[in-house]
Amino acid sequence: MNAKDLSIRLQKAAEFVPQDARLADIGSDHAYLPVALMLQNKISYSIAGEVVVGPYESAKRQAAKNGLENKIDVRLADGLEAVELNDQISAITICGMGGVLIRDILQRGKEKARLSGKERLILQPNVGERQLRQWLVAEGYTITEEAIIEENQKVYELIVADKDLVQPDYTAKELFFGPVLLKEKAPVFIKKWQHKLSKMEKILTSLHQSDQDVTEKIREVILEIEWIKEVLEDAGK
Ligand code: SAM
């Protein structure tokens, strides 16, 4: 396998990994990302962490098939328990999971002292981006880069976070859209939010018809609809 064999989503994550990094890829089903990066000579060492036996074995096979069993350490472990500070990991990738699950993996990793704070985090949540950004910002990370891509009719966001920088003050709106994505307003971003707007307008209609007390939810949805409209107007859409 090679970097070009990666999905567009994982290729984008690979681009954010610094040259010569010591990488931990958590949730490393098949170890595709570490193997591709190793074959490109982009990383010097990698841990591929997996919590489920089947994917863990696939990751081991993939590393061995590429003659990388000495450079990619495949470990069966829950989240960041695959990593020890002695491993001197400089970048962590967690891709293809919900944002809340990624957040919880990071939180447990922090509680169990598996994060030095020097690692670059490269995260690709499938959903729950806002909750993940909220955790990162509360923990003192700066969102240094973001990307949005479309693959097989699905839209994916990537979030890169680094600590030890002067952290900007993020607004709630920036954490909702992504501070970098909001500045860039790429065509895929616009498409995502046009689609989301029509979904949220339908949600609002059904909330108004609800016989339960959903006042707070209505307020929240109205605010988000306003934000989306503002952003689309700013982009001339
Ligand atoms: N990262 C790959 C990608 O983006 O294509 C695989 C994504 S796959 C949908 C998610 C993987 O994460 C599964 O193999 C699952 O077993 C693993 N996973 C889920 N929770 C985990 C955890 N707490 N620790 C380690 N791996 C986990």
Side-chain angles (χ1 to χ4, degrees):
M1 82 164 293
N2 212 321
K4 66 176 180 350
D5 300 328
L6 288 177
S7 59
I8 300 172
R9 180 178 62 79
L10 288 182
Q11 266 181 48
K12 202 70 206 170
E15 282 172 27
F16 290 128
V17 175
Q19 183 64 43
D20 300 322
R22 290 176 65 82
L23 176 75
D25 183 43
I26 304 301
S28 197
D29 179 15
H30 298 289
Y32 287 143
L33 188 56
V35 167
L37 286 167
M38 202 56 93
L39 294 176
Q40 276 184 286
N41 287 323
K42 191 154 183 204
I43 55 173
S44 58
Y45 167 76
S46 180
I47 292 167
E50 243 302 331
V51 74
V52 177
V53 174
Y56 158 78
E57 283 169 352
S58 309
K60 270 194 108 75
R61 274 198 300 277
Q62 186 66 230
K65 197 171 106 188
N66 287 279
L68 294 170
E69 55 272 69
N70 295 330
K71 289 187 156 183
I72 300 178
D73 211 344
V74 184
R75 298 182 182 170
L76 185 64
D78 180 9
L80 288 164
E81 286 182 44
V83 176
E84 291 181 24
L85 291 185
N86 283 346
D87 295 317
Q88 297 188 310
I89 291 304
S90 60
I92 296 175
T93 44
I94 314 180
C95 301
M97 302 178 208
V100 170
L101 178 56
I102 298 177
R103 178 198 70 188
D104 293 347
I105 288 175
L106 291 168
Q107 174 65 24
R108 286 202 305 278
K110 179 195 127 179
E111 284 163 8
K112 296 198 166 166
R114 306 298 170 124
L115 289 169
S116 70
K118 295 198 182 101
E119 314 85 353
R120 158 167 275 213
L121 306 180
I122 300 144
L123 312 169
Q124 184 269 301
N126 291 338
V127 289
E129 295 87 353
R130 170 164 46 178
Q131 288 94 327
L132 182 56
R133 288 189 192 99
Q134 283 170 337
W135 184 90
L136 291 167
V137 167
E139 292 300 319
Y141 285 90
T142 296
I143 296 170
T144 38
E145 306 200 60
E146 287 181 312
I148 185 163
I149 60 116
E150 188 174 9
E151 184 168 39
N152 302 330
Q153 276 106 49
K154 282 196 187 138
V155 172
Y156 300 102
E157 295 187 6
L158 290 103
I159 302 169
V160 181
D162 294 275
K163 228 173 181 167
D164 290 339
L165 299 169
V166 180
Q167 194 193 34
D169 279 335
Y170 292 103
T171 63
K173 189 174 168 184
E174 283 174 317
L175 298 183
F176 182 71
F177 291 101
V180 181
L181 298 178
L182 184 58
K183 250 187 222 122
E184 289 175 356
K185 297 188 184 66
V188 180
F189 172 87
I190 297 301
K191 192 172 155 187
K192 167 179 173 162
W193 289 106
Q194 281 172 329
H195 182 68
K196 230 17 198 233
L197 177 60
S198 67
K199 269 173 80 175
M200 291 185 67
E201 283 172 335
K202 283 189 193 115
I203 291 173
L204 186 59
T205 308
S206 60
L207 281 172
H208 279 307
Q209 290 160 354
S210 171
D211 48 14
Q212 302 190 349
D213 182 12
V214 286
T215 323
E216 197 44 49
K217 186 72 196 159
I218 288 177
R219 220 194 312 267
E220 195 184 303
V221 173
I222 289 176
L223 176 66
E224 289 170 4
I225 287 177
E226 272 171 20
W227 281 348
I228 300 171
K229 284 185 172 166
E230 271 169 31
V231 166
L232 294 177
E233 267 167 36
D234 271 4
K237 303 289 168 183

